[in-house]
Amino acid sequence: MYRIGKEEIDAVARAIYSKDFFKINGSGREVLNFENEWKAHLKSDYCILMSSGFAAITSALIGLGIGPGDEVIVPGYTYIATALAVTSVGAIPVIAEVDETLTLDVEDTAKKISAHTKAIIPVHIQGFPSNMDGLCELAAKHGIAVIEDACQSVGGEYKGKKLGAIGDAGAHSFNYFKVMTAGEGGALVTNNRQIFERGLIYHDASAVAFFGDQLNGISEPLFGGTEFRVSDIIGAIMREQLKKLPGILADLHTQKFALIDSLCDKAVVAPSHDAQGDCATTLALRFETAAECRSFAAKCKERGVDITIPIDTGKHVYTNWTQIMEKRGALHPAMDPYKMKENEGLQMDYTMDMCPKTLDYLARTAYLWVQPDWTDEKRNEIAEIINAAL
């Protein structure tokens, strides 16, 4: 969370004082207004505000008709929710390498495509844009869908296009740790009418037909789903956060590039598929060896600068995806995709060392979290400490 204050407090008060803050209402219509504002910002045709990024990825998978008998390729470096969304619809996540930018590797993805592959999920981790040209070209060649996990890259771009609005569908997250936040929240965006209609039904199956006119113009038949609906309180907060997004991103870019300019010639900044489109939340430095990376992090910590090594980030690394690696996709065995007859023979021979390149990059990379509100003095102090450690 970067910036939140009186504007959000006043927005919440506005929603509460209306005494009409269920999602479908005749007062503020905060959720509906945010959906319209967010899709306008992204230049996307459809948007559904919901409870989380996981909810949005799952709704996208459902919208594409993906389920038992299908494979979906995900990178070995992403939060476990990306893979769990795949198992939640009965499909099998196939784990692929990341490239030197720490995003889904096109070459390894191509090797993992099979007759059962229905989609790939590029993850713009830490706001780093994936190679969307290469991945979309690969997907088109094989007739499979692209679902962007843009949960950590809200507001980012790839060659002038907003992350999350490039593939067949995209998911954003608005939880506490994201660029803009309501504490929790997410959004599904798409230009595909069928994905939108199915996502709408699935994300609120118990109420979408009961409240308001949400099914006007919907041609998809109703089916059983879940309940990822949010209230107008979330919508009200998000509308204020969206107003702050351009300033947050602009200041993050200013701080990150100024910091890079202050680094000595021993600093090696990890490459990017679009450095200008990067959200600039994270400075990633690359080292020749994991030992050098650890030494650097320790020296910085001694002088009060916290450095994160992504190999240590738990559920973001496939080796720590306990439910996936141990093939327990659901509590009840009949609902577990790893035990479904339809999934027999699919690519689920997971091993701890199956993505060696990913593990190597993660062990040799050091992260510094960039703050938009650093003073020049603070940023220069951090640069001095980094240079000394290098």
Side-chain angles (χ1 to χ4, degrees):
M1 187 273 293
Y2 291 111
R3 293 172 180 166
I4 197 163
K6 187 175 186 303
E7 297 85 357
E8 288 80 7
I9 293 171
D10 290 345
V12 170
R14 180 178 71 229
I16 292 175
Y17 283 133
S18 75
K19 298 182 179 180
D20 190 21
F21 50 90
F22 184 72
K23 174 186 175 182
I24 305 302
N25 62 73
S27 300
R29 299 176 70 84
E30 306 285 359
V31 169
L32 175 64
N33 284 323
F34 172 75
E35 289 172 341
N36 288 332
E37 291 158 6
W38 188 231
K39 68 186 183 184
H41 178 80
L42 299 171
K43 296 182 173 59
S44 183
D45 290 342
Y46 306 106
C47 170
I48 307 171
L49 181 62
M50 52 184 75
S51 57
S52 67
F54 169 86
I57 297 170
T58 305
S59 298
L61 291 162
I62 290 291
L64 285 161
I66 292 172
D70 298 333
E71 296 174 346
V72 177
I73 299 175
V74 303
Y77 175 48
T78 178
Y79 192 58
I80 188 175
T82 311
L84 289 179
V86 178
T87 60
S88 75
V89 302
I92 297 297
V94 176
I95 303 172
E97 296 267 28
V98 299
D99 63 20
E100 60 184 352
T101 72
L102 302 184
T103 63
L104 189 60
D105 182 75
V106 175
E107 183 177 347
D108 194 53
T109 299
K111 294 176 182 177
K112 301 288 172 66
I113 291 175
S114 76
H116 300 282
T117 307
K118 292 297 186 295
I120 59 177
I121 304 183
V123 180
H124 310 300
I125 195 86
Q126 298 298 143
F128 307 149
S130 301
N131 181 357
M132 292 307 293
D133 284 345
L135 292 167
C136 287
E137 181 180 346
L138 179 64
K141 176 182 176 182
H142 292 275
I144 58 180
V146 176
I147 301 172
E148 292 176 79
D149 181 339
C151 292
Q152 294 189 12
S153 58
V154 173
E157 297 183 354
Y158 175 79
K159 297 185 178 181
K161 296 179 180 179
K162 297 293 184 183
L163 298 177
I166 302 170
D168 296 278
H172 296 100
S173 172
F174 306 128
N175 79 16
Y176 175 81
F177 302 98
K178 302 307 190 290
V179 180
M180 60 179 189
T181 182
E184 290 289 359
L188 167 66
V189 295
T190 184
N191 292 327
N192 183 302
R193 179 71 187 182
Q194 185 177 62
I195 294 174
F196 163 71
E197 290 192 9
R198 290 175 174 178
L200 179 70
I201 294 167
Y202 180 76
H203 101 288
D204 193 14
S206 62
V208 72
F210 189 77
F211 292 98
D213 57 0
Q214 296 181 84
L215 292 182
N216 279 2
I218 301 297
S219 59
E220 285 288 315
L222 292 177
F223 56 89
T226 186
E227 194 167 286
F228 294 144
R229 184 180 64 244
V230 295
S231 79
D232 248 22
I233 293 173
I234 297 294
I237 296 172
M238 289 311 306
R239 294 184 72 192
E240 296 304 319
Q241 283 282 285
L242 180 52
K243 294 175 186 176
K244 296 178 179 180
L245 180 63
I248 291 171
L249 290 171
D251 290 342
L252 282 168
H253 277 87
T254 296
Q255 298 285 9
K256 180 174 180 177
F257 288 119
L259 180 60
I260 290 173
D261 288 343
S262 300
L263 297 182
C264 66
D265 57 8
K266 291 184 179 181
V268 178
V269 178
S272 173
H273 290 300
D274 186 341
Q276 295 299 320
D278 181 326
C279 289
T281 60
T282 310
L283 172 64
L285 298 177
R286 183 69 42 76
F287 293 83
E288 286 292 325
T289 68
E292 289 179 10
C293 188
R294 293 260 173 219
S295 175
F296 166 77
K299 290 176 181 177
C300 287
K301 186 175 182 179
E302 288 173 1
R303 294 188 60 183
V305 172
D306 286 331
I307 297 293
T308 297
I309 302 175
I311 194 72
D312 297 335
T313 54
K315 297 299 183 184
H316 289 87
V317 185
Y318 77 88
T319 52
N320 298 307
W321 298 350
T322 306
Q323 304 96 307
I324 302 299
M325 298 301 287
E326 297 181 5
K327 301 178 187 175
R328 290 195 304 275
L331 178 62
H332 196 290
M335 302 296 287
D336 187 345
Y338 293 109
K339 296 179 175 64
M340 291 178 180
K341 184 177 181 180
E342 296 92 334
N343 292 334
E344 290 180 1
L346 269 58
Q347 300 180 73
M348 59 176 86
D349 295 328
Y350 308 135
T351 63
M352 297 297 277
D353 60 353
M354 63 185 171
C355 294
K357 187 168 71 171
T358 296
L359 299 179
D360 176 56
Y361 283 137
L362 295 178
R364 293 191 294 111
T365 303
Y367 285 165
L368 172 72
W369 313 122
V370 178
Q371 297 299 322
D373 297 323
W374 279 335
T375 62
D376 290 347
E377 181 181 22
K378 180 63 175 178
R379 188 184 63 247
N380 291 336
E381 176 188 343
I382 291 170
E384 179 185 328
I385 292 170
I386 290 174
N387 286 334
L390 288 170

